Amino acid sequence: MAHDIAALAVELTDMAAADHRTAVHANSDDPAEQLAWRRLTARHGDRLGEIMAEYGWPMAELVGDEAAHAAWLIAQHADRQLDIQRRALQLMQQAVSAGAAGPRELAFLRDRTLVNEGRQQVYGTQIAGVKDGAPVPWPCEEPERVEELRATVGIEPFDEYVARFS
């Protein structure tokens, strides 16, 4: 079992590394690069689905911090697999409630899933586009409370968050 868990941790971190290397292609002007990105994230999403079926949410206490973060990243990028995102969200919510996962990553996954469902996000973590050179968040349920809600889960203010990307 320990070997299986060690192998699982390596597999998750390897998937996240491949994700990081190819993420630049997500919005590429080259359709082949976009397709390669989509295929990679779909393969990773499928595998995460198998992992969740066997182990539940891969928490840090099981696979280590780096691999647990990798699982979150894979779920975050499973944009065309809402079933995988919803399952990850459910399992991660249970882990956060048990104190075994962080509320910050859960907030990002919640927003990402809501946006992929065509709904308004909660924490303003997902960007809809750029207007007059400034990033604009996808519509939020309670725009007047976004900064307060972000603070409750440890997400920096929106302006600081988007400044990292400019």
Side-chain angles (χ1 to χ4, degrees):
M1 178 76 169
H3 173 73
D4 290 350
I5 298 302
L8 176 62
V10 168
E11 181 182 8
L12 286 166
T13 55
D14 285 351
M15 286 192 293
D19 184 290
H20 281 301
R21 281 193 307 274
T22 58
V24 295
H25 301 307
N27 299 309
S28 173
D29 292 333
D30 181 345
E33 288 181 348
Q34 274 192 29
L35 182 60
W37 164 255
R38 288 183 182 144
R39 285 182 174 151
L40 178 88
T41 56
R43 266 195 326 274
H44 290 173
D46 289 345
R47 180 63 183 124
L48 182 62
E50 294 168 358
I51 291 166
M52 290 186 299
E54 186 172 349
Y55 298 96
W57 185 250
M59 296 179 277
E61 65 189 37
L62 180 68
V63 296
D65 290 336
E66 187 181 2
H69 180 76
W72 165 80
L73 180 73
I74 294 160
Q76 187 80 351
H77 288 167
D79 291 319
R80 288 159 198 82
Q81 296 163 290
L82 267 172
D83 57 325
I84 299 294
Q85 280 189 332
R86 287 176 180 136
R87 182 72 180 133
L89 187 63
Q90 177 188 24
L91 291 173
M92 198 173 183
Q93 176 66 59
Q94 293 168 359
V96 169
S97 294
R104 185 180 195 277
E105 289 179 336
L106 178 64
F108 275 84
L109 185 57
R110 174 172 287 146
D111 275 1
R112 187 79 165 234
T113 304
L114 286 167
V115 166
N116 287 333
E117 292 172 341
R119 297 164 54 196
Q120 293 181 333
Q121 62 179 329
V122 176
Y123 301 96
T125 64
Q126 302 302 300
I127 306 300
V130 177
K131 184 178 181 184
D132 301 325
V136 177
W138 189 268
C140 298
E141 289 176 1
E142 300 178 88
E144 69 286 349
R145 289 192 61 222
V146 164
E147 296 299 350
E148 169 194 343
L149 293 167
R150 290 171 75 92
T152 64
V153 294
I155 301 174
E156 63 269 56
F158 183 77
D159 290 343
E160 286 178 31
Y161 172 66
V162 297
R164 293 191 323 206
F165 302 102
S166 30

